[in-house]
Amino acid sequence: MSDVLAVADHRRGELRDVSFEIVRAGRELAADLGGDLHLAVIAGDTEAFADRLSLAGVDAIHVVDDGVEFNHDLYAGATAALFEELSPTAVLMPNSVNGLDYAPAVANRLDLPLVADAVGLAYDGGLEATREMYGSKVETAVGVSEEPFAVTVRGGEWAAVEETADVPVEAFDYEFDESASGARVQGFEEVGAGDVDIADAEFLVSIGRGIEEEENLELIEELAEVTGATLSSSRPIVDNGWLPKNRQVGQSGKQVTPDVYLAIGISGAVQHVAGMKGAETIIAINTDPNAPIFDIADYGIVGDLFDVVPELIEQFS
Amino acid sequence: MKILVTVKEVAEAADDFEIEGTDIGEQFLEYDLNEWDDYAVEAAVQLSEEYDDVEVVSATIGPERSEETIRMALAKGVDRAIRVWDDDVAGADLDVAAKTRLFAAVVEEEEPDLVLSGVQAADDGFGATGVSLADEIGFDWAAVVNHLDTDDDLSTAHVHRELEGGIEELTDVDLPAVLTIQTGLNEPRYASLRGIRQAQGKEIAEFGLADLGLDADAVASPIERTAMYEPETESDATYFDGSADEQAAQLADVLRDKGVVSE
Ligand SMILES: Cc1cc2nc3c(=O)[nH]c(=O)nc-3n(C[C@H](O)[C@H](O)[C@H](O)COP(=O)(O)OP(=O)(O)OC[C@H]3O[C@@H](n4cnc5c(N)ncnc54)[C@H](O)[C@@H]3O)c2cc1C
């Protein structure tokens, strides 16, 4: 049998979206391979999670009932042990922040080739994965000539499976010695609270690294002022300390859904897009005609922000 | 204490580029120190300033050209550098496992107490080498670290791991460890003129596979890039043409139309 093992992702009592997406990636791959899809659920309220993940196309759910939250030693150990038990052809893990913290260890431990951050998977006698490179400017096809193999899948690339089914749930006994783990989670902290909640804004003027210097931010502030927009930004602006963390849009920042998102000098990296693709109308100003932001934009200006923004301010003054 | 920082020269594509075979044509690529590694270098140098007797060594896998980026790390306060390269490495499609084997051999040579690496490389975006290396060499680890404190005796690192959606995980990691560093951890310094001058005199040791006790098998990879192409644009964007003021006028009309700007 050429089975697929996929691992679910959850945090603070909630399954993360990628858990439902990885089921689709997994069941498509399992269909190509002609095998079963096994889903692993590790730590937390495994009973409730298994219940929610009893989805069409999943052949078996294996729960490791140990621990409350993600711990990479538990995840890496349990996934590797399950792999050895099931001998699948593929192990799929999410390319989430937690995935980044354990998937490479699983691949290394099992001596599997690893394709990270896949956005497409096909199997026809061998795995061919699709990945992006150079900040999403190009796509690549990646062939893997060895089996079994490990893949981490990018969130948001496969449609979530919602159709439920009656999937057998089995407890998988995995001995985890927490005291031997050299990494101990002490708690969580929410960051990025502040005076403004960009998630509430109807119109966001968002600035990226294209602004170059902190002084130039004044120009964008003026635009926000005359248009009544709320100011947000990509990550480098916050990393530089030019704007506070509560203004950051993206995977590790805020998710926003304004009526209009005006992205100025932002390339549209996947982690940025994760936070703003839900905007109703996306407008981008960028000097680079190949910037990935244009792929999701409704309106685009290929041009220099230092030429266009002053004219735009003029329009509203 | 010794800190090893893995650094990578990454390629960035020019606005207009052409694909040649399975890569972007060399003439359209510009090279720079990987952004995430810059923060890792800064973290290491700050630790060396904070504690006595800390040596910072950078390790890179890269061709001679990459010495330029390594010099940048040296100019910012890295004490010495190691560059791994030879004909076999040059000819290989290095996957995560191959890089892991090379860096593991460097670790065996150097015996660091702490390894810092960037979360990911900006060009190929695998985001896997640091954790894979940690597992290989039996170090503890933490990925996507955006805050780092150390105990005075340097036995434990108190880190924040930056999760999705503005949540951070507070974790204690025993040293020796590998930490993969996220941007925003610190403010990477600019290399001073003095630093740049000093960097010229610092050692960049070159290691081939044989020097590391490895052979060509170490870089054999079952993963191969078979094609590169520009993604079919899903874009149905309407582009505004004309001069900047004409473009701005059309954009202003859309904003008024959408009712988000009131005058
Ligand atoms: C785990 C992880 C989490 C992350 N989370 C986030 C997140 O939450 N949010 C986020 O934004 N990023 C996040 N990132 C970082 C992300 O990968 C990118 O590095 C970042 O989004 C790039 O920001 P940017 O588009 O402003 O900069 P760049 O990618 O440098 O883009 C700048 C753009 O400006 C254009 N430009 C330059 N000059 C001009 C000009 N004069 N006029 C017009 N255009 C110009 C350029 O053509 C370019 O497209 C994360 C990364 C990781 C690894």
PDB file of all heavy atoms in Angstrom, chain A residues 111-133:
ATOM      1  N   ASP A 111      15.162  10.130   7.788  1.00  0.00           N
ATOM      2  CA  ASP A 111      15.995  10.134   6.596  1.00  0.00           C
ATOM      3  C   ASP A 111      15.167  10.257   5.320  1.00  0.00           C
ATOM      4  O   ASP A 111      15.379   9.546   4.336  1.00  0.00           O
ATOM      5  CB  ASP A 111      16.822   8.836   6.573  1.00  0.00           C
ATOM      6  CG  ASP A 111      18.169   9.054   5.931  1.00  0.00           C
ATOM      7  OD1 ASP A 111      18.458  10.212   5.597  1.00  0.00           O
ATOM      8  OD2 ASP A 111      18.903   8.073   5.750  1.00  0.00           O
ATOM      9  N   LEU A 112      14.200  11.158   5.348  1.00  0.00           N
ATOM     10  CA  LEU A 112      13.327  11.360   4.192  1.00  0.00           C
ATOM     11  C   LEU A 112      13.713  12.628   3.458  1.00  0.00           C
ATOM     12  O   LEU A 112      14.034  13.633   4.090  1.00  0.00           O
ATOM     13  CB  LEU A 112      11.866  11.531   4.642  1.00  0.00           C
ATOM     14  CG  LEU A 112      11.252  10.449   5.518  1.00  0.00           C
ATOM     15  CD1 LEU A 112       9.814  10.833   5.882  1.00  0.00           C
ATOM     16  CD2 LEU A 112      11.278   9.114   4.802  1.00  0.00           C
ATOM     17  N   PRO A 113      13.650  12.622   2.134  1.00  0.00           N
ATOM     18  CA  PRO A 113      13.796  13.896   1.416  1.00  0.00           C
ATOM     19  C   PRO A 113      12.631  14.811   1.810  1.00  0.00           C
ATOM     20  O   PRO A 113      11.511  14.341   2.002  1.00  0.00           O
ATOM     21  CB  PRO A 113      13.714  13.506  -0.056  1.00  0.00           C
ATOM     22  CG  PRO A 113      13.273  12.086  -0.106  1.00  0.00           C
ATOM     23  CD  PRO A 113      13.439  11.480   1.243  1.00  0.00           C
ATOM     24  N   LEU A 114      12.939  16.086   1.943  1.00  0.00           N
ATOM     25  CA  LEU A 114      11.906  17.036   2.380  1.00  0.00           C
ATOM     26  C   LEU A 114      11.680  18.112   1.316  1.00  0.00           C
ATOM     27  O   LEU A 114      12.618  18.777   0.892  1.00  0.00           O
ATOM     28  CB  LEU A 114      12.348  17.707   3.695  1.00  0.00           C
ATOM     29  CG  LEU A 114      11.497  18.888   4.194  1.00  0.00           C
ATOM     30  CD1 LEU A 114      10.098  18.436   4.593  1.00  0.00           C
ATOM     31  CD2 LEU A 114      12.176  19.582   5.374  1.00  0.00           C
ATOM     32  N   VAL A 115      10.428  18.247   0.915  1.00  0.00           N
ATOM     33  CA  VAL A 115      10.039  19.386   0.081  1.00  0.00           C
ATOM     34  C   VAL A 115       9.234  20.314   0.978  1.00  0.00           C
ATOM     35  O   VAL A 115       8.183  19.921   1.494  1.00  0.00           O
ATOM     36  CB  VAL A 115       9.178  18.958  -1.124  1.00  0.00           C
ATOM     37  CG1 VAL A 115       8.713  20.188  -1.901  1.00  0.00           C
ATOM     38  CG2 VAL A 115       9.957  18.027  -2.033  1.00  0.00           C
ATOM     39  N   ALA A 116       9.747  21.524   1.188  1.00  0.00           N
ATOM     40  CA  ALA A 116       9.080  22.445   2.108  1.00  0.00           C
ATOM     41  C   ALA A 116       8.216  23.435   1.352  1.00  0.00           C
ATOM     42  O   ALA A 116       8.525  23.827   0.230  1.00  0.00           O
ATOM     43  CB  ALA A 116      10.119  23.190   2.939  1.00  0.00           C
ATOM     44  N   ASP A 117       7.127  23.816   1.987  1.00  0.00           N
ATOM     45  CA  ASP A 117       6.277  24.896   1.492  1.00  0.00           C
ATOM     46  C   ASP A 117       5.741  24.624   0.087  1.00  0.00           C
ATOM     47  O   ASP A 117       5.778  25.493  -0.783  1.00  0.00           O
ATOM     48  CB  ASP A 117       7.064  26.216   1.519  1.00  0.00           C
ATOM     49  CG  ASP A 117       6.147  27.433   1.552  1.00  0.00           C
ATOM     50  OD1 ASP A 117       4.962  27.272   1.907  1.00  0.00           O
ATOM     51  OD2 ASP A 117       6.609  28.535   1.210  1.00  0.00           O
ATOM     52  N   ALA A 118       5.223  23.415  -0.104  1.00  0.00           N
ATOM     53  CA  ALA A 118       4.667  23.059  -1.407  1.00  0.00           C
ATOM     54  C   ALA A 118       3.332  23.782  -1.622  1.00  0.00           C
ATOM     55  O   ALA A 118       2.556  23.954  -0.692  1.00  0.00           O
ATOM     56  CB  ALA A 118       4.450  21.547  -1.485  1.00  0.00           C
ATOM     57  N   VAL A 119       3.105  24.212  -2.852  1.00  0.00           N
ATOM     58  CA  VAL A 119       1.815  24.821  -3.191  1.00  0.00           C
ATOM     59  C   VAL A 119       1.024  23.937  -4.152  1.00  0.00           C
ATOM     60  O   VAL A 119      -0.113  24.238  -4.494  1.00  0.00           O
ATOM     61  CB  VAL A 119       1.972  26.241  -3.787  1.00  0.00           C
ATOM     62  CG1 VAL A 119       2.644  27.168  -2.771  1.00  0.00           C
ATOM     63  CG2 VAL A 119       2.784  26.220  -5.082  1.00  0.00           C
ATOM     64  N   GLY A 120       1.650  22.846  -4.588  1.00  0.00           N
ATOM     65  CA  GLY A 120       0.957  21.891  -5.451  1.00  0.00           C
ATOM     66  C   GLY A 120       1.661  20.546  -5.360  1.00  0.00           C
ATOM     67  O   GLY A 120       2.878  20.496  -5.135  1.00  0.00           O
ATOM     68  N   LEU A 121       0.894  19.469  -5.489  1.00  0.00           N
ATOM     69  CA  LEU A 121       1.475  18.132  -5.422  1.00  0.00           C
ATOM     70  C   LEU A 121       0.866  17.268  -6.505  1.00  0.00           C
ATOM     71  O   LEU A 121      -0.348  17.286  -6.718  1.00  0.00           O
ATOM     72  CB  LEU A 121       1.172  17.476  -4.066  1.00  0.00           C
ATOM     73  CG  LEU A 121       1.784  18.083  -2.805  1.00  0.00           C
ATOM     74  CD1 LEU A 121       1.241  17.354  -1.575  1.00  0.00           C
ATOM     75  CD2 LEU A 121       3.295  18.001  -2.848  1.00  0.00           C
ATOM     76  N   ALA A 122       1.704  16.542  -7.209  1.00  0.00           N
ATOM     77  CA  ALA A 122       1.195  15.572  -8.178  1.00  0.00           C
ATOM     78  C   ALA A 122       2.070  14.341  -8.077  1.00  0.00           C
ATOM     79  O   ALA A 122       3.258  14.433  -7.743  1.00  0.00           O
ATOM     80  CB  ALA A 122       1.265  16.155  -9.586  1.00  0.00           C
ATOM     81  N   TYR A 123       1.475  13.200  -8.339  1.00  0.00           N
ATOM     82  CA  TYR A 123       2.254  11.977  -8.284  1.00  0.00           C
ATOM     83  C   TYR A 123       1.947  11.147  -9.511  1.00  0.00           C
ATOM     84  O   TYR A 123       0.800  10.843  -9.809  1.00  0.00           O
ATOM     85  CB  TYR A 123       1.917  11.174  -7.024  1.00  0.00           C
ATOM     86  CG  TYR A 123       2.785   9.948  -6.873  1.00  0.00           C
ATOM     87  CD1 TYR A 123       3.968   9.990  -6.160  1.00  0.00           C
ATOM     88  CD2 TYR A 123       2.423   8.743  -7.482  1.00  0.00           C
ATOM     89  CE1 TYR A 123       4.786   8.881  -6.039  1.00  0.00           C
ATOM     90  CE2 TYR A 123       3.232   7.619  -7.375  1.00  0.00           C
ATOM     91  CZ  TYR A 123       4.403   7.690  -6.654  1.00  0.00           C
ATOM     92  OH  TYR A 123       5.210   6.599  -6.536  1.00  0.00           O
ATOM     93  N   ASP A 124       3.000  10.834 -10.245  1.00  0.00           N
ATOM     94  CA  ASP A 124       2.815   9.982 -11.404  1.00  0.00           C
ATOM     95  C   ASP A 124       4.092   9.146 -11.513  1.00  0.00           C
ATOM     96  O   ASP A 124       5.003   9.487 -12.255  1.00  0.00           O
ATOM     97  CB  ASP A 124       2.595  10.844 -12.660  1.00  0.00           C
ATOM     98  CG  ASP A 124       2.249   9.978 -13.854  1.00  0.00           C
ATOM     99  OD1 ASP A 124       2.037   8.767 -13.669  1.00  0.00           O
ATOM    100  OD2 ASP A 124       2.216  10.513 -14.987  1.00  0.00           O
ATOM    101  N   GLY A 125       4.171   8.143 -10.689  1.00  0.00           N
ATOM    102  CA  GLY A 125       5.377   7.338 -10.631  1.00  0.00           C
ATOM    103  C   GLY A 125       6.474   7.964  -9.787  1.00  0.00           C
ATOM    104  O   GLY A 125       7.489   7.345  -9.490  1.00  0.00           O
ATOM    105  N   GLY A 126       6.305   9.190  -9.403  1.00  0.00           N
ATOM    106  CA  GLY A 126       7.252   9.909  -8.547  1.00  0.00           C
ATOM    107  C   GLY A 126       6.571  11.209  -8.141  1.00  0.00           C
ATOM    108  O   GLY A 126       5.659  11.672  -8.829  1.00  0.00           O
ATOM    109  N   LEU A 127       7.032  11.768  -7.052  1.00  0.00           N
ATOM    110  CA  LEU A 127       6.402  13.013  -6.617  1.00  0.00           C
ATOM    111  C   LEU A 127       6.899  14.177  -7.459  1.00  0.00           C
ATOM    112  O   LEU A 127       8.094  14.305  -7.711  1.00  0.00           O
ATOM    113  CB  LEU A 127       6.715  13.304  -5.142  1.00  0.00           C
ATOM    114  CG  LEU A 127       6.119  14.621  -4.622  1.00  0.00           C
ATOM    115  CD1 LEU A 127       4.608  14.520  -4.449  1.00  0.00           C
ATOM    116  CD2 LEU A 127       6.775  15.074  -3.327  1.00  0.00           C
ATOM    117  N   GLU A 128       5.977  15.001  -7.902  1.00  0.00           N
ATOM    118  CA  GLU A 128       6.366  16.289  -8.462  1.00  0.00           C
ATOM    119  C   GLU A 128       5.619  17.369  -7.685  1.00  0.00           C
ATOM    120  O   GLU A 128       4.388  17.402  -7.684  1.00  0.00           O
ATOM    121  CB  GLU A 128       6.060  16.387  -9.951  1.00  0.00           C
ATOM    122  CG  GLU A 128       6.769  17.599 -10.533  1.00  0.00           C
ATOM    123  CD  GLU A 128       6.556  17.756 -12.032  1.00  0.00           C
ATOM    124  OE1 GLU A 128       5.573  18.411 -12.412  1.00  0.00           O
ATOM    125  OE2 GLU A 128       7.380  17.224 -12.795  1.00  0.00           O
ATOM    126  N   ALA A 129       6.404  18.179  -7.004  1.00  0.00           N
ATOM    127  CA  ALA A 129       5.811  19.229  -6.183  1.00  0.00           C
ATOM    128  C   ALA A 129       6.001  20.572  -6.872  1.00  0.00           C
ATOM    129  O   ALA A 129       6.939  20.770  -7.637  1.00  0.00           O
ATOM    130  CB  ALA A 129       6.474  19.251  -4.814  1.00  0.00           C
ATOM    131  N   THR A 130       5.087  21.484  -6.596  1.00  0.00           N
ATOM    132  CA  THR A 130       5.229  22.850  -7.081  1.00  0.00           C
ATOM    133  C   THR A 130       5.597  23.737  -5.899  1.00  0.00           C
ATOM    134  O   THR A 130       5.009  23.619  -4.824  1.00  0.00           O
ATOM    135  CB  THR A 130       3.912  23.362  -7.701  1.00  0.00           C
ATOM    136  OG1 THR A 130       3.454  22.396  -8.632  1.00  0.00           O
ATOM    137  CG2 THR A 130       4.107  24.692  -8.393  1.00  0.00           C
ATOM    138  N   ARG A 131       6.618  24.572  -6.117  1.00  0.00           N
ATOM    139  CA  ARG A 131       7.044  25.508  -5.082  1.00  0.00           C
ATOM    140  C   ARG A 131       7.217  26.889  -5.701  1.00  0.00           C
ATOM    141  O   ARG A 131       7.270  27.022  -6.920  1.00  0.00           O
ATOM    142  CB  ARG A 131       8.405  25.110  -4.484  1.00  0.00           C
ATOM    143  CG  ARG A 131       8.490  23.753  -3.855  1.00  0.00           C
ATOM    144  CD  ARG A 131       9.845  23.559  -3.168  1.00  0.00           C
ATOM    145  NE  ARG A 131       9.945  24.369  -1.969  1.00  0.00           N
ATOM    146  CZ  ARG A 131      10.704  25.450  -1.819  1.00  0.00           C
ATOM    147  NH1 ARG A 131      11.471  25.882  -2.803  1.00  0.00           N
ATOM    148  NH2 ARG A 131      10.716  26.133  -0.696  1.00  0.00           N
ATOM    149  N   GLU A 132       7.357  27.882  -4.848  1.00  0.00           N
ATOM    150  CA  GLU A 132       7.685  29.213  -5.347  1.00  0.00           C
ATOM    151  C   GLU A 132       9.110  29.560  -4.933  1.00  0.00           C
ATOM    152  O   GLU A 132       9.635  28.994  -3.980  1.00  0.00           O
ATOM    153  CB  GLU A 132       6.714  30.243  -4.774  1.00  0.00           C
ATOM    154  CG  GLU A 132       5.307  30.038  -5.296  1.00  0.00           C
ATOM    155  CD  GLU A 132       4.334  31.063  -4.759  1.00  0.00           C
ATOM    156  OE1 GLU A 132       4.635  31.709  -3.740  1.00  0.00           O
ATOM    157  OE2 GLU A 132       3.262  31.208  -5.380  1.00  0.00           O
ATOM    158  N   MET A 133       9.705  30.465  -5.681  1.00  0.00           N
ATOM    159  CA  MET A 133      11.055  30.928  -5.327  1.00  0.00           C
ATOM    160  C   MET A 133      11.166  32.421  -5.584  1.00  0.00           C
ATOM    161  O   MET A 133      10.308  33.010  -6.235  1.00  0.00           O
ATOM    162  CB  MET A 133      12.099  30.211  -6.197  1.00  0.00           C
ATOM    163  CG  MET A 133      12.725  28.992  -5.534  1.00  0.00           C
ATOM    164  SD  MET A 133      14.050  28.327  -6.557  1.00  0.00           S
ATOM    165  CE  MET A 133      15.401  29.444  -6.155  1.00  0.00           C
TER     166      MET A 133
END
